[in-house]
Amino acid sequence: MTALSDGVSGPTATEIMAMISDERRRAADLIDALTPEQLDAPSLCGSWTVRQVAAHLVAPFAARRRWFLPILLRSRFNLHEANARLAEMVARRPAGQISALLRENAETPFRAPRVGYFGQLTDLQVHGQDIRRPLGLAHGLRPDRLRTSLDFLAHRRALGFFVPRGLTDGLRFEAADIGWASGEGRVVRGEAEAVMLALTGRPVVLAELSGDGVATLRERLGR
């Protein structure tokens, strides 16, 4: 086992890297199966299209070094904005190139600043659903990987990067299908996939959740 900085345990680096590699290959298979119309459809991730979400997944491997400083300067060193600009640039490539880069780099280690391998696995799972849900595609996510991402999302390291600040205050999140829970307060309960998307600020899952904390969550998500 390995641990996040305050003792939250999880898979070893080798185990989580194997999960990441498999999720990258699954994402590549998904991209290859999409039609041009599906690639240009809206995703659950803000104003991004499905194609732009796919580009974001491969951006660490597709971007050229000389792009980074100009993008950071134009984004005033806001990492979220810089990531969005980078994804938009990579999205100009054909979908086949994006999926090929995912496969070629399936086993390439990439530790994103602060969130590391846990963030990388969670990014792949959440953005996979950003693509699949609007297109009505089944997710087939693995319970062990969902649990790993939920443990990460409940950790302070995810705040401000994956989990909007203040979203979880006074709430207890429960994933009934995998026996997972975190937090104290009013309850927000649902299946693990829906709870993961709720924690990352996706209001589309609100109707799938139950408990006396759902009204508070709805208000915080602006719905």
Side-chain angles (χ1 to χ4, degrees):
M1 302 287 283
T2 189
L4 294 168
S5 58
D6 66 353
V8 178
S9 297
T12 65
T14 299
E15 290 168 340
I16 198 168
M17 191 62 227
M19 296 178 187
I20 290 167
S21 298
D22 186 57
E23 290 295 333
R24 286 176 182 162
R25 293 186 180 101
R26 291 186 68 221
D29 290 343
L30 173 62
I31 294 164
D32 281 343
L34 300 179
T35 66
E37 292 75 20
Q38 288 174 317
L39 287 163
D40 292 332
S43 75
L44 296 185
C45 190
S47 61
W48 278 0
T49 64
V50 165
R51 185 188 301 272
Q52 288 169 327
V53 173
H56 166 73
L57 294 177
V58 78
F61 316 117
R64 297 173 182 172
R65 289 184 181 273
R66 67 173 184 271
W67 292 358
F68 288 109
L69 183 57
I71 287 174
L72 280 171
L73 289 173
R74 287 199 300 272
S75 304
R76 298 181 181 180
F77 292 92
N78 181 307
L79 291 179
H80 287 293
E81 185 177 341
N83 278 331
R85 288 177 182 271
L86 185 58
E88 290 164 5
M89 293 176 70
V90 176
R92 297 169 190 164
R93 299 188 179 196
Q97 286 188 17
I98 293 173
S99 61
L101 277 168
L102 272 172
R103 285 196 187 87
E104 290 167 12
N105 291 279
E107 298 184 22
T108 301
F110 173 68
R111 289 180 181 269
R114 179 174 171 177
V115 298
Y117 287 152
F118 290 94
Q120 181 73 181
L121 176 66
T122 303
D123 205 48
L124 284 157
Q125 293 193 98
V126 171
H127 285 313
Q129 294 312 99
D130 285 338
I131 292 172
R132 291 182 180 94
R133 270 184 168 257
L135 299 178
L137 303 175
H139 63 78
L141 294 174
R142 293 269 301 272
D144 58 329
R145 297 175 193 178
L146 281 167
R147 180 182 292 277
T148 297
S149 286
L150 287 172
D151 285 341
F152 165 70
L153 292 171
H155 189 273
R156 58 187 174 82
R157 193 184 294 183
L159 283 175
F161 285 81
F162 285 84
V163 180
R165 293 190 181 278
L167 183 72
T168 62
D169 292 352
L171 296 177
R172 175 179 172 82
F173 288 82
E174 298 179 356
D177 54 330
I178 63 170
W180 178 92
S182 178
E184 299 293 334
R186 295 183 175 181
V187 172
V188 176
R189 183 184 298 110
E191 293 190 356
E193 183 258 356
V195 172
M196 179 181 71
L197 293 183
L199 285 167
T200 53
R202 271 67 173 172
V204 70
V205 299
L206 285 168
E208 301 170 33
L209 303 171
S210 62
D212 58 358
V214 174
T216 300
L217 181 64
R218 183 183 300 276
E219 182 179 348
R220 289 176 182 173
L221 291 176
R223 297 301 176 96

